[in-house]
Amino acid sequence: MALNILKLCVGCDSVEELEAWVAQKLAERRRNGEPVEHWHTTRMVPARGPEITDGGSLYWVIKGNVQCRQLITEIRPFTDDQGIGRCRLILDPVIVRTDWQPRRPFQGWRYLKAEDAPADLGKGRAGMAEMPPKLRQELAELGLL
């Protein structure tokens, strides 16, 4: 069974903003002749890498709720130009919206077991993704999502 990672999406106020940021980074890499791939850099290398790359995703907490995920395709440890060990989580650029799941702030990232992860938005709830982000946030704060 795949293992997931849970991380705060610092600097993004909505899934739409995250989608735009990913598209911008991919376009920038394409223009610069670099490999067109998307990644997120972390300080720590997950010790359970094989479980994560076996179908695990990075679940993003945006404004206090898990709202979406991206499939983790590879984990690449590296040393930065200051000699600090870091890790790139190579992500599928497609962002999959999920049911909202409230989460308190935390530092770094956490493992997230598959049975504890929110479900992807199915056809019956796909209309929720079409709601304006502010409305979704207000409904979540009221406990209606």
Side-chain angles (χ1 to χ4, degrees), residues 24 28-29 33 42 52 68 71 74 84 86-87 89 95 101 103 105 110 117 121 123-124 130 134 136 139:
Q24 178 219 346
E28 183 180 302
R29 290 188 178 109
T42 68
I52 294 166
C68 60
L71 183 67
E74 190 178 344
I84 299 171
R86 301 205 181 270
C87 174
L89 302 175
I95 296 172
Q101 186 181 78
R103 289 291 172 147
R110 304 283 184 267
L121 283 184
K123 291 184 181 185
E130 303 304 318
K134 185 173 172 53
R136 285 193 309 248
L139 290 173

Side-chain angles (χ1 to χ4, degrees), residues 25-26 28-37 39:
K25 293 303 276 181
L26 292 174
E28 183 180 302
R29 290 188 178 109
R30 194 173 289 113
R31 278 192 310 274
N32 294 337
E34 300 171 359
V36 182
E37 59 186 11
W39 66 79

Side-chain angles (χ1 to χ4, degrees), residues 48 60 104:
R48 299 171 68 181
W60 290 111
R104 291 200 158 119

Side-chain angles (χ1 to χ4, degrees), residues 69-139:
R69 68 177 181 85
Q70 289 179 275
L71 183 67
I72 300 172
T73 59
E74 190 178 344
I75 296 173
R76 291 186 197 153
F78 71 99
T79 303
D80 69 12
D81 56 358
Q82 298 175 358
I84 299 171
R86 301 205 181 270
C87 174
R88 282 193 179 121
L89 302 175
I90 310 302
L91 304 171
D92 186 318
V94 174
I95 296 172
V96 178
R97 292 167 189 261
T98 65
D99 284 338
W100 281 28
Q101 186 181 78
R103 289 291 172 147
R104 291 200 158 119
F106 57 91
Q107 290 185 335
W109 51 263
R110 304 283 184 267
Y111 289 119
L112 179 64
K113 295 178 185 174
E115 61 266 18
D116 297 330
D120 293 351
L121 283 184
K123 291 184 181 185
R125 298 197 42 176
M128 193 171 94
E130 303 304 318
M131 279 186 211
K134 185 173 172 53
L135 177 60
R136 285 193 309 248
Q137 182 67 36
E138 289 173 3
L139 290 173

